[in-house]
Amino acid sequence: MAAGSSPGGSASRRAQEARRQERLLREQWRAARQRAERWEAASEGERRVAAQLLMLAGRGWRLLVDRRWPGTRAANVDMLLIGPGGVFVIDVKNWRAAPEPSGGRLRAGGFSRDEHRRKLLAVTKAAESAVASLGMSPVAVRPVLAFAGQRVDAELGRIRLLGEHEIGPALLSQRTRLSAESVRALTDHLARVFPEYEDPVAVPDPVAVPGPVPAPGPGAAPGPGASASSSRGAAARPPAAGADGLFDLDGLREAALDEARRAPIEQWMTFLDPEQLALVRRNWAGPARISGPAGTGKTVVGLHRAAYLAQRTNGRILYVTFANNLPRVQATFLGTMAPAVADRIDFRSLHSWARDYLRSRGVPVHLHKEKAETAFSLAWKHVGRNSCLTEIDPLPPYWQEEINYVIKGRGITSFEEYALLARRRRRAGLRRPHRQAVWALYEAYEAQRTERAVHDFNDVLSLALAEAAGRIGHSDYTAVVVDEVQDLTLVGVRLLHALVGDSPNGLLLVGDGQQAVYPGGFRLSDAGIDIRGDRGQVLRANYRNSKEIVDTALAVVADDAFEDLDGMRTPGRRDVDLTYHDGQVQRAVLPTPAAHDEALVAALGALSPPELAGSAVLCPSKRAIEHYQRLLTRAGLRVCLLEQYDGHPVEAVKLGSYRRAKGLEFQRVYLPRHDECLPTGKPDGGPAGETADERGELARSQLFVAMTRARDVLWLGSVRPEGEG
C-alpha cells in the first residue's frame, strides 16, 4: 500500500481540513462581527444577525441596513438583502420569548405580535413595487422575520421565520435566480427607493478572507472587496448614471430580458415584463380572463399569478390544463420560481383531477377508453352508417366528435336543446333530420356504453360537475387557474367555475381561441361566467418569436377567422407587437423522404449538447412520432418524449405531437414534412366539403401552434419530388 494511503492517513487529512475550514469560518465571523459592531445605533441582536448576513458577501449577496420606508415620515426597514436567490425584506427581532406562529397569526410569550407580521408584509409590498419596474416578479421578493438569540425555522403564510444561526444557511440555499449584474442593479435601485434612514458613517470595504472560500454559484458577484460599503447604507454605491448601461429603468428591463434569453429555455419561461407583472398583482373582483396571441406570455402570467396568490392566502391553489403532460412541466417551473409555496399549488390535468375528486367523494368511476370506443363503433354500425349522416360525412370520426364535443361536451340532455343549439366552430350545417340522426346515434352509444358499465372522459367531468355543484362554498381551493382554457369543453369550464364561483380572485382563465386544437366551441357566457370590464385583459407583446417566424406561422391561418370565448370574431392574421428579432426560418425541401430525414438528422447532429437540450421535433401524428423516434435513436441522438418531459433541463431533443407542445416553447423547433398534414386543395363543395374545411382548419391551427413554439430557429421540412412546385 502506498505511503499516506492508509485509512488512518486519510482520516487525519480530513480532520486537518475540517480544522482549517473551522479556522476560516471563525475568521469570517470575526470580520463580519467587527463590521456589524460599527453600526453603533443598531441593537445588539440586529448586529448579530447582520454579521451572519455579511458572511454571504463572498457569495455575491449585498446588504442594505436601516433604510427609510418610502411614503412614511419615520418608519424604517431593518434590512434588505439582495443576492443570487432574490430580494429579502428582513425585520430583526430581539425577543426574550420564542415566536409562536399558528393559524396565520403570530404570538410570543402569551401575547399577540401580529402587528409585526402586518408591518413586514406592508413593507414587502413596497419592495415588490420597487422591483416590478425592473421586470422582476413579486415571487422573487420574500419577507423574513429574523430572531436574535432564538433557534427557529418556520413559515407564517409567506413570511419565513428564522433564528440568527439559521438565517445564513437558509438564504444561501436559495435557488439562483439573479446574475451578478442584476444583483448590483437591484441593490442600486433599492438603495434609491429606500433611502438611508440616517447619515451613513463610513466603514472599510468588506474584509477579504484569506484562504479558499466556497465557489460562488452561477451568477454570483465577485468576492469580498469588490465594492464599497457604508455602515448603514448600501453594500455598493450606485455607479454614475450610464456607467454600465444599467442605470435607467428601460436599460434594466432590457438587460433582464437579454439575461433571460441567454438562460436555458426552462428559465426563460419565467421572465415577466411590467405589463404582465401588473396582471399578476391585480385584485380581480370576480372571474378574470387573460388572452392574447401566441408568444405573449399567458402561461407565464398564469404561473406567477398562482404563486402570488399562494403567498397571500392560506388555502390551496388549483392550476389546471387539458393536456396531461403540461402539469409536470409547470410544477417544475413554479418550483424554481417560488419554492416556498410550491407545495400549496396542485398542478393537474382536468380529467385526472376530476377522477381523483370523485373518488374522494365516494363516487364510483369506471373509465375505460377502449370499451367506450367499442360502444361507439357498435352504435355507428347499427344506427349511423346507413343514416342520412353519410350525406354530410361518411366517416364516423366526425360524428364521434359531434357527440363528444357538442352534445356531451356541452352537457346537452335533450334533443330539443340540441336541435336549437348553435354548433360553434362546426362548419357543416345540420338540418333537423340530420340532428335527429345524430341524436339517435348518441342514444345508441349511451345504451352500448351503459350495457358495458363504463364511463368515457365526458362522463367523468359531468359526474364531477354534479358533485361540485352541490357543494358550492365548500371547495378545498381558494383559487383556480385554468391554462389553455380554449381546449376545455363547456362542462369542464363549468366544473372549475363551480369550485370557486364568482369570488374575488377566485377564477382565472388563460388562453387564446386562435390556438384551439380540438373541434367544437363555446362562449364563457354559456358557462355562466361574466367577465366584466378590466377583468378581461389582452396581452399583445410577443417576447418569443421574431417577425420572420410570426409571419410564417400567420400565413398558415391567415384566412381562418376564429371566434374567441367572448364571442368576438377575429381575423386569422392579427397584429402583434414584436420585441424579439433574432429568430429565423430555415426551409429544407428534399426530393425523397430518405433525403429529407437525412437532412433532419444532419441538422440535429450539428448541435451542441446545450443547443440540443433547447430543441424539439414536433409531429402531427403518433405514427410520425414513432418513426422519428426510431430514426433519431439509430442516429445516436438522445430523445426525450414530451409525454415524459418534466421541465428540468435535459440534454436531449424533445419529441412529441403538435398538441403536446401546447404551453411550451423551445429555442429550436423542427417540423419534418410539415405541409403533408394540410389539405392539398379546395374540396368540390357540398356537405363533405364543409367537414373537410373543418378538418383543414383544425390542422392549420395545430400547425400554427407548433410553429409558434420556436424562438430562435424554425426548421420546416418538405418532401417535393424534382420537377414539382
Side-chain angles (χ1 to χ4, degrees):
M1 182 176 291
S5 61
S6 67
S10 177
S12 176
R13 286 196 303 274
R14 288 198 298 271
Q16 291 175 4
E17 177 63 21
R19 285 192 292 272
R20 191 174 74 86
Q21 290 295 331
E22 181 183 2
R23 287 195 302 272
L24 290 174
L25 288 173
R26 288 183 182 278
E27 291 171 359
Q28 287 180 290
W29 169 247
R30 282 195 294 270
R33 282 282 296 181
Q34 290 171 4
R35 290 192 62 208
E37 286 170 358
R38 294 173 183 174
W39 295 317
E40 296 178 356
S43 69
E44 170 60 21
E46 188 174 338
R47 287 198 294 269
R48 292 203 307 269
V49 172
Q52 293 282 351
L53 299 179
L54 284 169
M55 292 181 68
L56 303 182
R59 300 290 186 93
W61 294 77
R62 299 186 177 209
L63 185 64
L64 302 173
V65 178
D66 202 14
R67 315 299 293 190
R68 184 179 297 279
W69 183 352
T72 67
R73 296 182 61 185
N76 77 310
V77 182
D78 284 349
M79 300 178 188
L80 293 169
L81 183 69
I82 307 98
V87 176
F88 296 86
V89 183
I90 302 173
D91 189 8
V92 181
K93 300 301 176 188
N94 196 9
W95 297 348
R96 292 184 179 180
E100 303 168 5
S102 178
R105 296 289 184 264
L106 180 63
R107 298 178 64 84
F111 297 96
S112 172
R113 302 295 181 95
D114 226 34
E115 71 276 10
H116 300 282
R117 176 186 66 86
R118 290 192 292 268
K119 176 190 172 185
L120 179 56
L121 290 176
V123 73
T124 301
K125 188 174 183 179
E128 289 173 349
S129 297
V131 303
S133 62
L134 307 186
M136 179 183 244
S137 169
V139 303
V141 182
R142 186 83 191 274
V144 175
L145 277 172
F147 295 90
Q150 300 285 351
R151 289 277 186 180
V152 59
D153 188 345
E155 303 277 346
L156 179 62
R158 64 179 302 216
I159 299 176
R160 184 88 177 264
L161 279 61
L162 294 167
E164 68 175 73
H165 297 290
E166 289 78 18
I167 191 167
L171 299 185
L172 199 58
S173 67
Q174 297 292 310
R175 294 175 182 268
T176 298
R177 66 168 74 240
L178 299 176
S179 70
E181 281 186 343
S182 294
V183 170
R184 184 177 72 251
L186 278 167
T187 304
D188 297 343
H189 183 61
L190 289 172
R192 292 190 293 274
V193 176
F194 292 82
E196 294 167 336
Y197 192 72
E198 297 177 356
D199 290 337
V201 178
V203 297
D205 288 348
V207 179
V209 181
V213 176
S227 61
S229 65
S230 65
S231 65
R232 305 177 67 82
R237 290 291 185 188
D244 58 3
L246 294 175
F247 192 80
D248 63 288
L249 295 188
D250 289 339
L252 282 168
R253 283 194 291 267
E254 189 61 33
L257 181 55
D258 288 343
E259 178 186 322
R261 286 176 175 142
R262 289 193 299 270
I265 198 71
E266 289 83 0
Q267 294 179 27
W268 151 249
M269 290 190 70
T270 66
F271 171 79
L272 285 178
D273 75 359
E275 180 187 8
Q276 295 166 336
L277 273 171
L279 298 182
V280 168
R281 305 174 68 199
R282 181 76 60 88
N283 185 34
W284 308 103
R289 186 188 175 208
I290 297 174
S291 61
T296 53
K298 298 179 295 297
T299 292
V300 176
V301 171
L303 288 171
H304 282 264
R305 177 67 173 179
Y308 183 81
L309 293 175
Q311 288 178 338
R312 286 155 178 77
T313 64
N314 294 323
R316 300 194 66 77
I317 311 296
L318 177 61
Y319 196 105
V320 174
T321 191
F322 180 80
N324 58 21
N325 64 309
L326 270 182
R328 291 191 305 273
V329 178
Q330 293 164 333
T332 297
F333 290 161
L334 190 130
T336 300
M337 294 188 309
V341 297
D343 61 346
R344 291 203 295 108
I345 304 174
D346 295 336
F347 288 90
R348 302 295 301 273
S349 67
L350 177 59
H351 289 97
S352 172
W353 176 85
R355 289 199 302 273
D356 288 348
Y357 173 72
L358 289 171
R359 292 190 184 108
S360 71
R361 302 292 304 155
V363 179
V365 178
H366 305 289
L367 181 65
H368 199 295
K369 180 181 178 181
E370 290 74 18
K371 288 184 178 180
E373 292 281 352
T374 299
F376 178 80
S377 296
L378 291 172
W380 176 258
K381 176 182 177 181
H382 297 310
V383 176
R385 69 179 180 183
N386 293 320
S387 71
C388 61
L389 296 180
T390 58
E391 301 171 359
I392 305 293
D393 195 310
L395 302 177
Y398 185 85
W399 304 111
Q400 188 172 21
E401 291 172 351
E402 184 77 8
I403 291 173
N404 286 337
Y405 293 97
V406 180
I407 296 179
K408 299 190 74 170
R410 291 178 61 93
I412 304 299
T413 57
S414 71
F415 171 70
E416 289 307 320
E417 189 179 2
Y418 175 59
L420 300 174
L421 183 70
R423 300 164 58 252
R424 305 194 188 285
R425 293 215 309 261
R426 299 291 270 178
R427 287 181 174 270
L430 300 184
R431 298 188 302 275
R432 187 175 181 88
H434 296 115
R435 297 203 185 206
Q436 289 173 330
V438 172
W439 195 258
L441 177 63
Y442 159 70
E443 290 183 325
Y445 164 64
E446 287 293 282
Q448 293 282 353
R449 183 186 59 76
T450 303
E451 181 180 331
R452 286 159 179 75
V454 297
H455 293 128
D456 61 23
F457 287 107
N458 282 299
D459 295 322
V460 173
L461 298 187
S462 295
L463 289 169
L465 174 58
E467 189 67 25
R471 290 177 52 80
I472 292 178
H474 300 278
S475 174
D476 294 333
Y477 295 102
T478 301
V480 175
V481 179
V482 186
D483 198 7
E484 304 291 351
V485 63
Q486 74 278 356
D487 290 337
L488 271 57
T489 62
L490 179 61
V491 170
V493 174
R494 283 175 175 163
L495 166 60
L496 297 170
H497 183 213
L499 296 181
V500 290
D502 294 331
S503 60
N505 301 315
L507 181 65
L508 176 63
L509 306 172
V510 180
D512 172 36
Q514 189 170 33
Q515 298 179 68
V517 296
Y518 296 95
F522 58 89
R523 294 177 179 174
L524 291 179
S525 58
D526 299 332
I529 298 175
D530 186 5
I531 304 294
R532 296 187 178 184
D534 69 350
R535 286 193 276 124
Q537 293 287 323
V538 181
L539 295 173
R540 303 191 185 280
N542 184 322
Y543 287 95
R544 180 196 303 154
N545 311 124
S546 69
K547 185 177 189 303
E548 185 178 1
I549 291 176
V550 167
D551 287 347
T552 301
L554 285 176
V556 173
V557 295
D559 297 329
D560 297 331
F562 64 96
E563 182 179 295
D564 211 343
L565 301 184
D566 56 7
M568 294 291 293
R569 194 74 176 166
T570 305
R573 187 182 291 278
R574 49 181 172 167
D575 294 332
V576 181
D577 298 331
L578 300 177
T579 66
Y580 188 55
H581 307 287
D582 295 335
Q584 59 177 300
V585 177
Q586 298 177 355
R587 297 183 183 271
V589 182
L590 284 305
T592 66
H596 167 279
D597 290 354
E598 183 179 344
L600 174 63
V601 170
L604 293 170
L607 301 179
S608 66
E611 289 173 332
L612 199 68
S615 301
V617 175
L618 303 180
C619 307
S621 67
K622 181 179 179 181
R623 182 177 180 181
I625 292 171
E626 293 171 347
H627 167 74
Y628 286 105
Q629 183 177 14
R630 291 191 298 267
L631 177 74
L632 299 180
T633 302
R634 284 199 302 266
L637 294 169
R638 189 179 175 193
V639 173
C640 174
L641 294 175
L642 285 184
E643 292 183 358
Q644 301 168 358
Y645 174 56
D646 64 1
H648 289 98
V650 55
E651 290 186 348
V653 61
K654 313 306 182 298
L655 175 64
S657 69
Y658 295 170
R659 290 177 176 179
R660 292 284 185 190
K662 292 290 291 290
L664 301 176
E665 61 184 74
F666 307 94
Q667 289 168 322
R668 295 166 180 80
V669 169
Y670 297 81
L671 304 182
R673 305 176 72 166
H674 73 287
D675 44 1
E676 294 181 10
C677 66
L678 301 177
T680 56
K682 188 73 175 175
D684 294 332
E690 292 177 339
T691 60
D693 283 345
E694 189 176 325
R695 283 192 291 271
E697 187 173 335
L698 272 177
R700 290 188 293 273
S701 180
Q702 292 168 9
L703 179 58
F704 171 79
V705 166
M707 287 179 166
T708 54
R709 301 309 94 191
R711 196 188 79 186
D712 297 331
V713 173
L714 173 61
W715 188 93
L716 300 177
S718 302
V719 175
R720 195 170 302 157
E722 294 180 1
E724 288 190 11

